Amino acid sequence: MKLTKRLQAICDLIDEGSRVIDVGADHALVDIYLTKYKNCKCIATDISENCIQKAKENIKKNNLNIQTIVTDGLNNINLKDEKIIIAGMGAHTILKILNKNITNDLIISAHTDIPLLRKEIQKKGYYIENEKVIHEKHYYVITYYKYGKGKKQNNLITTFIQDKSYINHLMNKYKIKYQNKKGLSKLKYLYIVNKLKRKTKQ
């Protein structure tokens, strides 16, 4: 089964035999892979009935037993020890989904506002266990969060990001932000760029 680089990176972060809830599962390709190749027990959820219908068709083609639920985020789901995947959404949507008292492991990949998302998730008592950067037309940051005491990481850069091309991408992004005067002060800009420059020298 061939997945995109981004979806494969998400699956690679999940341990064999895990219980998984895939929020915004779309066509359930991650759930199918995890069930088929890593012996996981998955629940695929999506707010779209059309997506869940397509997911059911894909699951049936693979002759698998994967539970599917039409729901908004984690609504009406009784959480236990599942790992929660939330990928392919904006930061504010993800934070809305996580606006619950949960301590489950999280695998998060946001399309927007990654520093904001990281800061808010850490406020909830989480730390970053692992992180990957995938380039597939765009850059995707996939972060594994665990609840509890861990190493405190900077909101923009962690020791797990070693992809220098991504760091250069960030440097350029924040330089453009500063030049366009979109709310980024000179002091903040210099702090960010100096952190990134030190990272490229490692």
Side-chain angles (χ1 to χ4, degrees):
M1 181 178 177
K2 183 71 173 176
L3 296 176
T4 64
K5 287 171 65 177
R6 180 175 69 94
L7 295 184
Q8 186 64 59
I10 291 171
C11 291
D12 289 345
L13 288 173
I14 304 293
D15 294 333
E16 181 103 10
S18 296
R19 294 160 56 90
V20 176
I21 296 175
D22 183 9
V23 178
D26 199 19
H27 297 171
L29 298 180
V30 165
D31 308 273
I32 290 167
Y33 182 94
L34 291 174
T35 303
K36 202 169 185 178
Y37 299 107
K38 303 191 85 169
N39 195 32
C40 293
K41 185 174 178 60
C42 298
I43 299 174
T45 82
D46 205 288
I47 197 171
S48 165
E49 291 189 17
N50 288 336
C51 285
I52 288 296
Q53 184 55 44
K54 184 64 178 177
K56 287 179 178 178
E57 292 171 9
N58 288 337
I59 291 165
K60 186 176 180 180
K61 285 178 186 175
N62 285 273
N63 196 29
L64 297 173
N65 181 23
I66 299 172
Q67 183 180 0
T68 58
I69 302 174
V70 177
T71 189
D72 185 358
L74 294 167
N75 291 347
N76 305 313
I77 295 178
N78 182 24
L79 294 176
K80 295 178 183 176
D81 61 346
E82 297 92 349
K83 300 179 190 298
I84 299 172
I85 299 172
I86 310 177
M89 305 177 198
H92 292 282
T93 301
I94 293 172
L95 288 172
K96 182 181 176 184
I97 291 169
L98 294 176
N99 190 24
K100 298 176 183 293
N101 185 24
I102 63 174
T103 58
N104 300 63
D105 288 7
L106 308 174
I107 297 88
I108 305 289
S109 180
H111 285 345
T112 62
D113 295 316
I114 294 171
L116 168 68
L117 181 64
R118 182 165 298 160
K119 181 178 179 181
E120 293 302 316
I121 291 179
Q122 288 177 341
K123 280 183 183 178
K124 293 176 182 291
Y126 282 87
Y127 66 95
I128 296 174
E129 173 70 12
N130 201 348
E131 189 159 70
K132 296 185 175 188
V133 177
I134 301 299
H135 186 251
E136 197 172 47
K137 294 184 180 178
H138 306 283
Y139 282 97
Y140 299 98
V141 179
I142 303 161
T143 309
Y144 191 118
Y145 292 94
K146 289 185 77 71
Y147 187 81
K149 293 181 180 180
K151 182 179 178 182
K152 184 177 179 181
Q153 291 93 8
N154 179 268
N155 289 332
L156 288 165
I157 297 298
T158 80
T159 55
F160 299 104
I161 296 180
Q162 300 298 332
D163 189 316
K164 292 186 179 179
S165 65
Y166 175 67
I167 293 173
N168 288 328
H169 162 75
L170 285 180
M171 288 173 63
N172 185 56
K173 172 184 172 181
Y174 285 104
K175 182 178 180 181
I176 291 170
K177 254 192 173 184
Y178 172 62
Q179 288 173 341
N180 292 341
K181 297 181 180 178
K182 292 184 178 178
L184 198 69
S185 70
K186 183 176 181 179
L187 184 64
K188 184 71 172 176
Y189 164 71
L190 291 173
Y191 169 76
I192 291 168
V193 170
N194 285 334
K195 289 280 280 187
L196 294 170
K197 281 181 178 177
R198 285 200 295 272
K199 201 71 178 171
T200 61
K201 292 176 182 177
Q202 293 180 5

